[in-house]
Amino acid sequence: MSDQDPYRLHYAPDNASLVIRLALEELGVPYRTVLVDRAAAAQKSPDYLRLNPAGRIPTLETPDGPISETAAILLWLGERHGALMPGAGETGRAAFLNWLLFAANTLHPELVQLFYIHRYGAEEGRAAQRTALRHRIAGHLATLEALAARLEAPWFCGAEPSALDLYLAPMLRWAQIYPRDQEGWLSLAPYPVLRDMALRLEARPSIAAAIRAEGLGARPFTDPRPPEPPEGSAT
């Protein structure tokens, strides 16, 4: 990596790496991408595991070394560039950290469990498990909707995007279209504040760049379609 190109994002289309792509685009910093071909299980290859021993996507190579947890990457980028979140000691910092980690540690893992439910138990229990997960996910979104509705803060659903917005919008997308054989179970109608945030994001150049790079469609968050990436596979 050079000073002119300090970041290398290891990504797969329409995966958690999308969150980091959006953040890099919003920051306006130079970066390169390296496709991790999920169809070939490249995330489990020896070369990739040397960067990310957990074998997950994304990984961001930085001047400080590789970082591989989505929330950790967002926090590192925000602190390094002084953007997308309240800084240390600023008003709202504690609440921002709380809800960013709620998104990372509560909402995101339950979405993953729903999408890959075959990994989490016997087949005969999956229908009940799926129903319970959907109920919990809808509850988490309702909690975030209520938070955004009562806040007047720039770090969530404000006029300019925050790292929390950039994390949540792709999750809204994924919840509407995955798993592919059950898409449409989630509507954004009960979450108008979150939907308005997603609409504002869709008008930004960062989203246009992601659409071009990952084939996400014109309205990737509010009217999502399965991706048609120019390279690689989303699943």
Side-chain angles (χ1 to χ4, degrees):
M1 290 180 289
S2 68
D3 292 339
Q4 291 74 36
D5 187 22
Y7 303 125
R8 186 178 293 120
L9 175 62
H10 295 256
Y11 91 103
D14 212 18
N15 278 238
S17 50
L18 172 60
V19 177
I20 307 307
R21 183 191 290 275
L22 296 179
L24 292 167
E25 291 289 341
E26 280 293 332
L27 291 168
V29 296
Y31 69 99
R32 284 190 287 157
T33 57
V34 180
L35 176 68
V36 182
D37 186 357
R38 290 189 62 188
Q43 70 272 26
K44 303 299 183 182
S45 69
D47 286 345
Y48 190 76
L49 290 173
R50 278 191 284 273
L51 285 174
N52 182 349
R56 300 173 68 181
I57 302 166
T59 299
L60 184 69
E61 292 187 75
T62 80
D64 287 350
I67 313 173
S68 59
E69 290 293 325
T70 302
I73 298 170
L74 289 173
L75 287 168
W76 188 90
L77 287 171
E79 290 175 359
R80 183 177 179 89
H81 294 282
L84 301 179
M85 61 188 67
E90 293 182 0
T91 301
R93 173 72 170 183
F96 167 81
L97 292 174
N98 182 87
W99 293 107
L100 181 70
L101 294 180
F102 174 83
N105 295 344
T106 301
L107 177 57
H108 196 171
E110 293 197 344
L111 282 170
V112 170
Q113 189 172 350
L114 179 64
F115 302 158
Y116 300 102
I117 201 165
H118 59 282
R119 300 177 181 173
Y120 293 91
E123 184 172 358
E124 58 267 22
R126 286 178 192 164
Q129 187 180 16
R130 186 178 292 115
T131 298
L133 282 166
R134 288 176 175 173
H135 179 75
R136 288 201 298 270
I137 290 164
H140 300 331
L141 294 177
T143 296
L144 290 168
E145 174 74 14
L147 173 71
R150 69 174 180 265
L151 281 177
E152 292 185 2
W155 53 266
F156 189 37
C157 296
E160 295 294 318
S162 72
L164 181 54
D165 301 335
L166 298 176
Y167 201 162
L168 182 58
M171 288 197 283
L172 295 176
R173 166 184 171 77
W174 301 328
Q176 292 174 83
I177 62 173
Y178 296 116
R180 291 288 296 275
D181 61 344
Q182 298 160 47
E183 61 188 88
W185 70 269
L186 180 78
S187 167
L188 296 188
Y191 315 108
V193 181
L194 301 183
R195 184 177 184 275
D196 286 348
M197 176 270 289
L199 280 168
R200 289 193 298 274
L201 281 180
E202 287 174 342
R204 297 185 69 81
S206 60
I207 306 304
I211 287 169
R212 291 192 299 270
E214 302 195 14
L216 301 182
R219 295 174 58 192
F221 309 133
T222 61
D223 187 20
R225 298 288 185 269
E228 296 181 356
E231 65 173 2
S233 170
T235 56

